[in-house]
Amino acid sequence: MASLNMVLSLFISVLVSSLMVSSASNFYNDFDITWGDGRAKILNNGQLLTLSLDQASGSGFQSRNEYLFAKIDMQLKLVPGNSAGTVTAYYLKSNGSTWDEIDFEFLGNLSGDPYILHTNVFSQGKGNREQQFYLWFDPTADFHTYTILWNPQRIIFSVDGTPIREFKNLESMGVPYPKNQPMRIYSSLWNADDWATRGGLVKTDWSKAPFTASYRNFNANACAWSNGVSSCGTSNSMTNSWLSEELDSTSQERLQWVRKNYMIYNYCTDANRFPQGFPPECNLS
């Protein structure tokens, strides 16, 4: 009997460990490299992905799954040194001419100058909701976690667990909100020296190429979308608590700390862009 129990416990432990391995993030399973002619690489048995940019081309990848609401974590280590002119983009996007999109874009800069973290939200093909931030650390020295929470009530951008931006569902005020179109995860490293660094004043120094950004520890708590059906339809509501997640008082304080100390551009304060008046959501910012 004792030996049978041992065999059973061994079988269970092997089963559990195999389930853990199969559910662990692996870039081979979760993503396809979509362009770059060999400049994007999956390494370390699927645990690391790198994108590279040189004068001939950048590179990019996309998720195999589409999602209709998700909480996505990705750790990035950005291009070090003189990265002026380069953009590392990490975002969710749907298809079509009236697409939805949720953007993190990292605008490179001269050595010693801070990266600019650019965020935007598109709904039904319209964006113009840019907010930009400096970071409170060097994003090229190590990996940091960048999170997009997208649920029916709000979109929250976070860095290492600190919220930097919240975009609420204000359809009741006539503000379109992305909620009907499934989105894939995309990322790319590309040359944008016509606009990215100081409005295009600083050009890419190709003598520093290839430029490389690195990715690891992807995690998705998400409603995968397939053939018009959401995986969340039958899922346990406890595991999908992110679907109703909101900022608690501590997180609200952290958000205000970021806005006060690190926000460098907010479309809701740019009167030149909106001579007829600010968008309705700005009245609540």
Side-chain angles (χ1 to χ4, degrees):
M1 190 70 177
S3 62
L4 180 60
N5 287 338
M6 285 177 62
V7 170
L8 279 171
S9 82
L10 180 61
F11 173 75
I12 290 168
S13 70
V14 169
L15 180 63
V16 168
S17 64
S18 69
L19 286 171
M20 288 172 67
V21 169
S22 67
S23 66
S25 165
N26 187 299
F27 283 109
Y28 284 121
N29 298 335
D30 297 325
F31 293 92
D32 290 315
I33 291 170
T34 46
W35 64 286
D37 223 7
R39 290 171 179 81
K41 292 183 170 64
I42 297 176
L43 306 165
N44 297 358
N45 296 317
Q47 300 306 299
L48 180 72
L49 190 153
T50 60
L51 294 182
S52 290
L53 162 70
D54 57 34
Q55 198 158 5
S57 178
S59 51
F61 63 87
Q62 70 180 43
S63 64
R64 292 187 173 178
N65 281 327
E66 289 184 292
Y67 306 102
L68 189 62
F69 305 122
K71 185 174 185 178
I72 304 291
D73 297 314
M74 184 81 82
Q75 290 195 325
L76 279 74
K77 183 160 69 170
L78 300 179
V79 174
N82 180 0
S83 57
T86 72
V87 172
T88 305
Y90 157 56
Y91 57 102
L92 289 162
K93 184 175 183 290
S94 66
N95 295 322
S97 58
T98 56
W99 75 97
D100 295 334
E101 186 173 339
I102 304 170
D103 291 340
F104 272 121
E105 289 187 300
F106 304 89
L107 312 187
N109 223 323
L110 294 167
S111 301
D113 287 350
Y115 258 81
I116 291 174
L117 172 50
H118 176 98
T119 66
N120 204 352
V121 175
F122 287 75
S123 44
Q124 299 171 26
K126 295 193 172 131
N128 298 323
R129 299 188 179 105
E130 300 90 346
Q131 290 184 357
Q132 295 183 338
F133 307 84
Y134 287 140
L135 293 164
W136 49 96
F137 52 83
D138 178 357
T140 73
D142 204 349
F143 286 90
H144 292 269
T145 303
Y146 301 90
T147 303
I148 295 171
L149 168 68
W150 167 43
N151 67 29
Q153 298 84 35
R154 59 188 45 79
I155 295 162
I156 299 171
F157 299 78
S158 299
V159 179
D160 289 337
T162 294
I164 64 167
R165 177 175 185 179
E166 180 180 30
F167 183 83
K168 293 181 178 178
N169 183 341
L170 296 173
E171 288 179 307
S172 60
M173 296 172 58
V175 179
Y177 184 81
K179 66 169 192 179
N180 297 316
Q181 302 186 72
M183 298 197 252
R184 287 188 198 278
I185 303 164
Y186 295 88
S187 192
S188 57
L189 175 57
W190 48 290
N191 178 43
D193 67 2
D194 56 333
W195 66 270
T197 307
R198 296 180 189 165
L201 292 176
V202 184
K203 300 303 180 183
T204 304
D205 181 355
W206 293 112
S207 72
K208 301 293 192 292
F211 304 99
T212 301
S214 302
Y215 301 73
R216 72 179 189 191
N217 290 350
F218 164 71
N219 185 60
N221 290 306
C223 301
W225 186 260
S226 179
N227 298 319
V229 177
S230 168
S231 64
C232 289
T234 57
S235 295
N236 187 315
S237 60
M238 288 298 291
T239 60
N240 290 336
S241 58
W242 58 270
L243 265 171
S244 57
E245 187 174 329
E246 57 187 281
L247 296 177
D248 61 19
S249 57
T250 302
S251 296
Q252 289 279 7
E253 288 173 11
R254 294 292 288 172
L255 177 69
Q256 293 309 317
W257 172 79
V258 172
R259 288 173 65 91
K260 178 182 176 185
N261 294 289
Y262 296 100
M263 179 182 274
I264 54 173
Y265 177 81
N266 182 4
Y267 75 107
C268 280
T269 59
D270 190 346
N272 291 330
R273 284 182 66 185
F274 302 103
Q276 306 303 316
F278 288 111
E281 69 269 18
C282 294
N283 297 325
L284 302 179
S285 296

